[in-house]
């Protein structure tokens, strides 16, 4: 495996479009349904203003990636997307080869809209497909069916040089055989990247209430582990190996934006409910913005930003976050960088104990990564190392 531990983690811009056509029952993201048209001109101007304020805080930087997430960014007009990208380019250096990703739902995809996004500068699309059978799509609360998903994939392939889509597994009653067949089918549609997430039941969602009432049952821990192992086997055999615990790509097609997070780089977050992490005055700071879209809009128009909180991280907190994020990657972490952040090395005794259990292994001269067995119990591995 090629060592890539010393690569610059990069600097990213995350733009959160908070609106959706409907709220999925498993979703705990900051997304909102509005039954009246959103004033995109007003919101677009607010994004530009908040970006300008953030530029004052970060100083001049070269942007590695731009990610338009949500919510459902594919509900934006191409002109709104273009205006946001122009605002970013006005504030920071944006090279020609920058990765610009837009999340899209199959139900909101139109050919003209996709062509418009491509003309605006988007060069990578991430489709929220989630399942390739209609029964499970209805269960997940999705507005599209399989035929619409396949049409969206076809349009994306025709318009964008890079394509990713999401699938959710560990759905009720799902067997390893069912999932393996569905996954092989998904890979056949020539995406260069797949995000494959285990269904988790988050507090505050309709699924959480259903499970609490005994009306929803998902695979247990052992079944979920079997589905995870099947995921790794199928994707590796088909040329899309895991590079992170839930993400798979053809070599060279990894998401640059996601790598910024996992390699503990810096990023600005703008829009309702967005988070950011970047260096300001020599210290890593965290920002988060107002979650309610209309309240955020009012704050930006009055104050130039919708930031309502944040913190300055200590060295220990930085090191813990670096550990938590970096061990999700198949490439692992650079122990020298951890020591620089924490002011101390990871305890050799703990590393040795985890190696003896087959949960971590060295990478090159100064790296450490979780083994496949360690990835299954990653939270426990991280907790043990961070003590």
């Amino acid at each position: 495996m090629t060592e890539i531990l010393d690569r610059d983690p990069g600097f990213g811009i995350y733009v959160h479009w908070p609106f959706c056509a409907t709220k999925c029952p498993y979703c705990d993201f900051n997304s909102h349904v509005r039954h009246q048209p959103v004033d995109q001109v007003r919101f677009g101007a607010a994004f530009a203003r908040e970006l300008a304020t953030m530029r004052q805080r970060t100083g001049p930087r070269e942007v590695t990636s731009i990610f338009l997430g949500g919510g459902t960014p594919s509900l934006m007009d191409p002109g709104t997307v273009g205006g946001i990208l122009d605002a970013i380019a006005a504030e920071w250096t944006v090279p020609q080869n920058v990765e610009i990703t837009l999340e899209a739902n199959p139900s909101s995809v139109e050919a003209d809209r996709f062509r418009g996004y491509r003309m605006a500068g988007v060069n990578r699309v991430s489709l929220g497909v989630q399942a390739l059978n209609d029964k499970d799509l209805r269960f997940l609360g999705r507005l599209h069916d399989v035929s619409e998903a396949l049409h969206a994939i076809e349009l994306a392939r025709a318009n964008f040089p890079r394509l990713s889509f999401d699938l959710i597994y560990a759905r009720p009653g799902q067997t390893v055989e069912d999932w393996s067949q569905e996954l092989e089918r998904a890979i056949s549609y020539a995406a260069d990247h797949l995000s494959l997430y285990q269904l988790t039941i988050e507090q505050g969602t309709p699924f959480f209430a259903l499970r609490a009432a005994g009306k929803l049952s998902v695979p247990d821990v052992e079944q979920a582990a079997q589905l995870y192992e099947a995921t790794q086997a199928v994707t590796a055999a088909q040329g899309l190996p895991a590079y992170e615990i839930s993400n798979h790509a053809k070599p060279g097609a990894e998401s640059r934006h996601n790598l910024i997070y996992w390699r503990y780089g810096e990023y600005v977050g703008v829009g309702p409910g967005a988070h950011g992490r970047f260096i300001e005055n020599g210290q890593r700071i965290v920002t988060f913005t107002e979650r309610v879209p209309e309240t955020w809009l009012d704050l930006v128009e009055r104050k130039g930003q919708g930031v309502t909180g944040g913190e300055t991280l200590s060295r220990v907190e930085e090191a813990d976050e670096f550990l938590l994020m970096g061990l999700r990657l198949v490439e692992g972490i650079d122990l020298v960088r951890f020591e620089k952040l924490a002011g101390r090395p990871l305890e050799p005794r703990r590393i040795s104990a985890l190696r003896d259990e087959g949960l971590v292994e060295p990478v090159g001269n100064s790296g450490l990564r979780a083994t496949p067995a360690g990835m299954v119990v990653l939270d426990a591995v991280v907790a043990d190392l961070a003590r």
Side-chain angles (χ1 to χ4, degrees):
M1 175 181 175
T2 303
E3 287 188 53
I4 48 179
L5 296 173
D6 59 348
R7 288 186 180 172
D8 183 349
F11 177 78
I13 308 293
Y14 175 76
V15 179
H16 190 78
W17 183 259
F19 302 108
C20 282
T22 188
K23 184 81 171 179
C24 296
Y26 57 85
C27 178
D28 69 339
F29 294 161
N30 188 45
S31 59
H32 303 263
V33 177
R34 296 291 181 264
H35 299 294
Q36 298 298 321
V38 173
D39 188 340
Q40 294 198 29
V41 172
R42 189 178 170 196
F43 270 91
F47 279 116
R49 188 166 181 198
E50 188 166 60
L51 286 162
T53 300
M54 287 300 180
R55 165 60 175 78
Q56 294 172 12
R57 300 185 66 174
T58 68
R61 301 295 299 272
E62 181 170 286
V63 177
T64 306
S65 74
I66 300 166
F67 196 100
L68 299 126
T72 306
S74 53
L75 293 175
M76 276 192 280
D77 295 331
T80 305
V81 171
I84 291 170
L85 297 181
D86 287 345
I88 293 170
E91 303 298 341
W92 293 276
T93 300
V94 180
Q96 287 290 323
N97 66 344
V98 69
E99 176 188 273
I100 303 176
T101 303
L102 179 136
E103 290 184 333
N105 278 343
S107 56
S108 62
V109 165
E110 299 172 3
D112 287 345
R113 191 180 290 265
F114 263 16
R115 283 192 289 268
Y117 295 146
R118 184 70 187 101
M119 291 179 65
V122 174
N123 54 26
R124 181 176 182 272
V125 70
S126 178
L127 289 171
V129 173
Q130 313 307 9
L132 287 175
N133 71 74
D134 288 339
K135 178 183 176 183
D136 282 357
L137 284 172
R138 289 191 295 270
F139 161 74
L140 292 168
R142 307 300 288 170
L143 294 180
H144 64 274
D145 58 22
V146 172
S147 64
E148 287 176 300
L150 298 183
H151 178 61
I153 290 169
E154 182 180 356
L155 286 177
R157 288 174 60 189
N159 284 278
F160 301 98
R162 297 179 61 197
L163 164 65
S164 176
F165 57 85
D166 299 355
L167 294 174
I168 294 173
Y169 67 95
R171 308 189 294 258
Q174 189 175 43
T175 67
V176 168
E177 183 179 4
D178 290 341
W179 171 233
S180 297
Q181 290 176 356
E182 184 175 358
L183 189 49
E184 288 176 354
R185 183 185 179 194
I187 293 170
S188 74
Y189 294 123
D192 61 17
H193 185 286
L194 292 175
S195 295
L196 307 171
Y197 300 112
Q198 181 177 326
L199 177 63
T200 55
I201 309 301
E202 304 290 352
Q203 191 166 0
T205 64
F207 274 3
F208 186 88
L210 286 172
R211 188 177 67 176
K215 297 179 180 179
L216 175 61
S217 176
V218 296
D220 61 25
V221 173
E222 182 177 346
Q223 292 169 322
Q226 292 172 352
L227 289 163
Y228 173 80
E229 290 167 2
T231 302
Q232 310 315 303
V234 170
T235 53
Q238 298 292 327
L240 274 80
Y243 68 98
E244 188 269 345
I245 195 166
S246 299
N247 285 269
H248 305 253
K250 294 178 180 178
E254 298 85 357
S255 166
R256 295 181 203 168
H257 196 82
N258 288 346
L259 285 173
I260 288 174
Y261 298 153
W262 298 319
R263 289 176 175 165
Y264 207 51
E266 298 175 62
Y267 57 96
V268 162
V270 298
H275 288 216
R277 273 173 169 73
F278 52 86
I279 304 299
E280 184 177 37
N281 299 322
Q283 294 181 293
R284 186 177 293 263
I285 60 103
V286 178
T287 64
F288 52 86
T289 59
E290 166 60 44
R291 291 173 61 86
V292 178
E294 292 77 14
T295 307
W296 171 85
L297 183 62
D298 178 66
L299 282 170
V300 175
E301 290 177 339
R302 288 190 295 109
K303 299 182 177 181
Q305 63 180 2
V307 174
T308 55
E311 59 180 319
T312 300
L313 298 179
S314 68
R315 292 179 70 178
V316 171
E317 289 169 330
E318 279 193 273
D320 284 350
E321 286 192 345
F322 170 71
L323 192 66
L324 178 66
M325 300 302 286
L327 282 177
R328 295 179 62 91
L329 287 167
V330 171
E331 73 186 37
I333 62 167
D334 183 353
L335 293 173
V336 174
R337 188 177 175 204
F338 176 88
E339 186 171 350
K340 287 178 179 178
L341 288 170
R344 62 170 179 82
L346 281 175
E347 289 189 27
R349 178 176 56 85
R350 297 196 187 281
I351 295 174
S352 180
L354 290 168
R355 284 186 66 179
D356 290 344
E357 294 177 42
L359 300 178
V360 300
E361 62 187 9
V363 185
N365 295 324
S366 66
L368 184 75
R369 68 183 177 196
T371 64
M375 284 288 190
V376 177
V377 291
L378 189 60
D379 288 348
V381 171
V382 171
D384 199 9
L385 286 171
R387 283 192 294 172

